[in-house]
Amino acid sequence: MIEYRSIGKTFADGTEAVGDFSLMLPSRTTTVLVGSSGCGKTTLLRMVNRMVDPTRGQVLIDDVDVATRNKVQLRRSIGYVMQHAGLLPHRKVIDNVATVLRLNGVDRKEARDRSYAVLETVGLDTSLATKYPSQLSGGQQQRVGVARGLVTDPNILLMDEPFGAVDPIVRDELQRELLRLQAELDKTIVFVTHDIDEAFLLGDQVVILRQGGVVAQVGTPKEIIASPADDFVRSFVGLDKGHRRLHVEERDGTRIVVDATGKATGVLE
Amino acid sequence: MTWFRDNTDKVMDLLLSHVWLSAVPIVLGFVIAVPIGWYANRHPRLRGFLLSVAGVLYTVPSLAFFLILPTIIGTGILAPTNVVVALTVYAVAIMVRSAADAFESVPPPVLDAATATGFAPAGRAFTVELPLAGPVLLAGLRVVAVSTVSLVSVGALIGVSNLGSLFTEGYRTDNTPEILIGVIGIVLLALAYDVLLVLAGRVLMPWSSTRATPRSGLRRLVGGGHA
């Protein structure tokens, strides 16, 4: 379990990224922090592995304040997947994946074996293992990034807009892949995105943020759609736009779902 | 060519001391400049200062430098050490800027990712920053190598034997072939260093296409040389 307790962050130049933020993230679930740029979502994410230290308040992992833990050790115990994958360009795919294992002192052979296994888990052709990252497509690089995050079998996986830079088709594929992995692996995932559809697809718990890390609403996707807290949420979720206002029409005995713009989006079963 | 055939041993001896007199400053210059460049890149406020000092050092004329050094470091006036020390200073002067640029060329997101995956600061510096700075460091080192090989010859003027001695001797005895052999020898040595460095780069940095790095070695020396 991860807990944010009255977190605040003011950067050295005086900008306040987060005012006063508190949240519980249950273990083995996916929590998605979603908001526009400047809402502090990445700052909040990076507090879990101490890439950012809060100015006020505490972040606790299983009731232990992360501030009491050695930064380097803490980071090695948490998976981190970032936008553009963040792979080391001078190391082969397999070595990129094995990096954290090697840092943790796992011997070379075992690190390789485990890295090959995890590459298969994320659905990457192992013939790519000896390539350099620049020889891979964006989607493939991102799979490697996920593999690297998972290789130590961490309890916690931090994902900072991991699918933001790939094209929509690949994004779709990676999202489904992540759902499949999560069903298998049961990690505590903290996922940051600005895409509400992605948040609703992946999140067990979705946190909608306003500027300055102010929580607009926390809930399951269904709860948020059923009862948006206010106009900000309603608008952020898109309930005020046509594509989320659906009604049923009957055509030749079949009930079809049509949105407010008149576009048929599906069939009611 | 007859002169060369009759004096092969002498030329080879001079070549050997030329190699020695240039290799030491190139290696020392690299080893000293890389940490300074790394430091300069990490401290933007000191960067300008450090690079300016390096720039000023490079403007000291080499012959004057060779002659002043003994009084500064207490070596004999004819000691090869003077040449080695002076050329090391020049190598550092050129290399510091390259090194600072090299570390600046490492993409910040990669460094951020390395930190986030659990690299400790020292491990990150040696296993991530240094290799990724490699291609730009190599470009700088090629300039240093070529420049040093050419500067060694000035040492002949203060009596430190090397291929440059063929200039001074040939000029004194009006022996054009001897001067030519000196020039050819120095050019070939410079080329050999350059080829060696490029090959080393391909072996050490297979991930980077060293072909794409600027072929700045010779061109920059010809364009903005200093002797």
Side-chain angles (χ1 to χ4, degrees), chain A residues 12-34:
Chain A
D13 63 0
T15 38
E16 189 175 75
V18 178
D20 183 5
F21 179 85
S22 293
L23 183 74
M24 297 276 252
L25 291 77
S27 293
R28 300 175 192 290
T29 62
T30 302
T31 297
V32 180
L33 305 177
V34 58

Side-chain angles (χ1 to χ4, degrees), chain A residues 220-245:
Chain A
T220 65
K222 283 175 190 164
E223 286 165 3
I224 292 171
I225 287 200
S227 48
D230 53 24
D231 284 344
F232 174 81
V233 174
R234 199 170 290 119
S235 141
F236 191 81
V237 169
L239 287 176
D240 58 350
K241 293 193 207 79
H243 73 284
R244 287 223 203 270
R245 304 230 66 101

